[in-house]
Amino acid sequence: MPTIEPLTLTLAELAERWNMTPQQVLESPRALPMYFYFDGLVFDFNDKWHRANGDAGVLQMLEQHKTRLSTLEIDLQRQTMHKRGLLKLTQWEEALSDEELQSQQAEADRLSEEIPRLTEQLKQRRDERQRRVRNGLLRAAPRTVADIAKRGQARFPQFAYMPYTANKTEGDTAIADGAVVALEDGFPLKEFLTGDDLVAAMVDVRAAEDGAA
């Protein structure tokens, strides 16, 4: 019965297979792409909108609109009551002309439409962020691999590369294979990556061995 090869080899398994130390494998001229497991949110590096704090500008605008609309509504109500003789304005308030009242009402109407639109836009962003979940391997950046080879560990990366994915999930479809990706909200939380976290794809191992033969 034929032996079924694994899809990946750990760094230690690869080192043993090639009669090298893990550090030698990482520093080898024929160094292979190395992967690590990640369970969290993954975003294309250029996707500024869905990444962390990408909504800061819209949130600020929404709060400004809400504050401004609240002020306008109070002013319009007081000015209307004043025109009807139901309220006396304070010494700090000035009676507005009909044209000025119409202008303020138009602004209030515009803000009343903008606030729900921005609120819905932010809701859609939150929903879309949750569809960027990845539970699988990512390719470690060269800097990450170099740090592990040199120091035995690297800070858990904020960036990596999207590997080739034969059967993409909904979250993967928006990200091209090989693209630089930003990582967020990983679980379980890890401060460092070590050689124990790295694996190589068996297809890359075979290709390297065939090329060296």
Side-chain angles (χ1 to χ4, degrees):
M1 184 174 180
T3 302
I4 299 177
E5 284 190 334
L7 295 177
T8 61
L9 291 178
T10 66
L11 176 58
E13 291 171 336
L14 181 58
E16 182 179 3
R17 182 185 179 102
W18 285 356
N19 296 314
M20 301 167 71
T21 66
Q23 182 178 5
Q24 288 173 328
V25 171
L26 296 180
E27 295 177 338
S28 170
R30 60 171 181 169
L32 301 181
M34 301 304 296
Y35 300 87
F36 64 96
Y37 173 76
F38 181 72
D39 181 8
L41 302 181
V42 174
F43 304 93
D44 188 292
F45 179 80
N46 295 313
D47 183 359
K48 306 299 185 183
W49 170 240
H50 291 104
R51 284 173 56 185
N53 301 319
D55 60 348
V58 175
L59 278 171
Q60 183 180 28
M61 184 184 300
L62 179 60
E63 291 307 311
Q64 288 173 345
H65 283 1
K66 287 180 177 179
T67 300
R68 176 58 177 163
L69 179 59
S70 177
T71 299
L72 284 171
E73 288 176 338
I74 293 172
D75 287 347
L76 286 167
Q77 183 181 36
R78 291 182 62 81
Q79 290 286 339
T80 300
M81 293 179 67
H82 172 71
K83 280 189 173 296
R84 294 176 179 174
L86 302 176
L87 177 72
K88 183 178 180 181
L89 297 177
T90 67
Q91 59 180 318
W92 297 282
E93 294 177 295
E94 183 179 346
L96 301 180
S97 66
D98 290 342
E99 291 76 13
E100 289 172 327
L101 282 173
Q102 289 173 0
S103 176
Q104 285 200 356
Q105 185 62 59
E107 183 182 359
D109 292 343
R110 179 181 63 81
L111 293 177
S112 295
E113 294 177 356
E114 276 289 287
I115 289 172
R117 185 186 68 80
L118 294 177
T119 301
E120 178 60 25
Q121 188 178 3
L122 291 169
K123 178 182 179 301
Q124 289 180 0
R125 176 186 180 274
R126 288 193 295 270
D127 294 343
E128 289 166 2
R129 271 178 59 84
Q130 296 310 309
R131 289 198 288 269
R132 298 300 196 276
V133 171
R134 179 173 180 81
N135 188 316
L137 297 177
L138 292 171
R139 180 179 173 181
R143 174 65 181 272
T144 301
V145 175
D147 284 347
I148 293 175
K150 184 177 181 180
R151 303 183 181 88
Q153 65 181 21
R155 285 277 181 189
F156 197 93
Q158 294 179 304
F159 305 101
Y161 292 93
M162 180 64 72
Y164 172 76
T165 307
N167 299 307
K168 289 181 177 292
T169 66
E170 184 180 358
D172 292 332
T173 55
I175 304 177
D177 295 333
V180 179
V181 291
L183 316 183
E184 294 179 23
D185 300 340
F187 181 83
L189 296 176
K190 295 188 65 171
E191 187 175 0
F192 296 99
L193 279 183
T194 69
D196 293 339
D197 297 302
L198 299 180
V199 300
M202 181 57 80
V203 64
D204 293 332
V205 174
R206 284 296 188 191
E209 291 173 345
D210 292 343

